[in-house]
Amino acid sequence: QVQLVESGGGSVQAGGSLRLSCATSGFTYSIKCMGWFRQAPGKEREGVAVIYTLGGNTYYAGSVKGRFTISQDNAKNAMYLQMNNLKPEDTAMYYCAADRGPLCSPSVAAALWYHYRGQGTQVTVSS
């Protein structure tokens, strides 16, 4: 099993920055890809960013490309999402997710279906 725990959410004004962290534990060696997705009230879930644990290839949703950066620290068993120039439309619950491989693909939408996911951390951006 793999456990994921998010942290780093909060409230910021538009234009501000936040860094989300996802701590992993358990059989982390088996993880092939990780990602972030978000869900705002009354809206569908949206894939945000994905990273392959081997090679470090990254993929982003068009709405966050150039503002968000996904990264990993294998020594710390952690994944991060650096969010800059935040906008009110970025307000959502953010979830980290991971998969052992079957659902890994160069698509941020795939993160919605990864086998493992955390409980989420709230990000609120005010105008």
Side-chain angles (χ1 to χ4, degrees):
Q1 289 293 333
V2 174
Q3 293 80 40
L4 307 174
V5 179
E6 304 94 337
S7 62
S11 298
V12 296
Q13 289 191 329
S17 299
L18 282 174
R19 188 196 194 203
L20 305 184
S21 298
C22 177
T24 67
S25 60
F27 296 114
T28 57
Y29 65 88
S30 64
I31 296 173
K32 299 297 187 291
C33 60
M34 298 188 70
W36 294 90
F37 67 91
R38 65 189 181 185
Q39 186 165 26
K43 295 186 178 181
E44 295 186 353
R45 296 179 301 166
E46 175 188 21
V48 174
V50 164
I51 186 168
Y52 276 68
T53 56
L54 293 178
N57 288 352
T58 58
Y59 306 90
Y60 297 92
S63 60
V64 306
K65 198 169 186 179
R67 300 188 297 123
F68 291 11
T69 302
I70 189 171
S71 62
Q72 60 184 352
D73 186 333
N74 292 330
K76 296 183 178 180
N77 288 329
M79 177 182 65
Y80 307 98
L81 185 68
Q82 177 67 44
M83 306 185 295
N84 297 329
N85 191 21
L86 283 160
K87 303 176 180 181
E89 52 263 41
D90 294 318
T91 295
M93 185 73 78
Y94 283 71
Y95 300 87
C96 72
D99 200 85
R100 292 179 174 177
L103 296 177
C104 294
S105 74
S107 166
V108 295
L112 274 59
W113 309 107
Y114 287 174
H115 189 74
Y116 303 103
R117 65 182 61 175
Q119 295 300 308
T121 186
Q122 178 68 36
V123 171
T124 303
V125 185
S126 58
S127 58

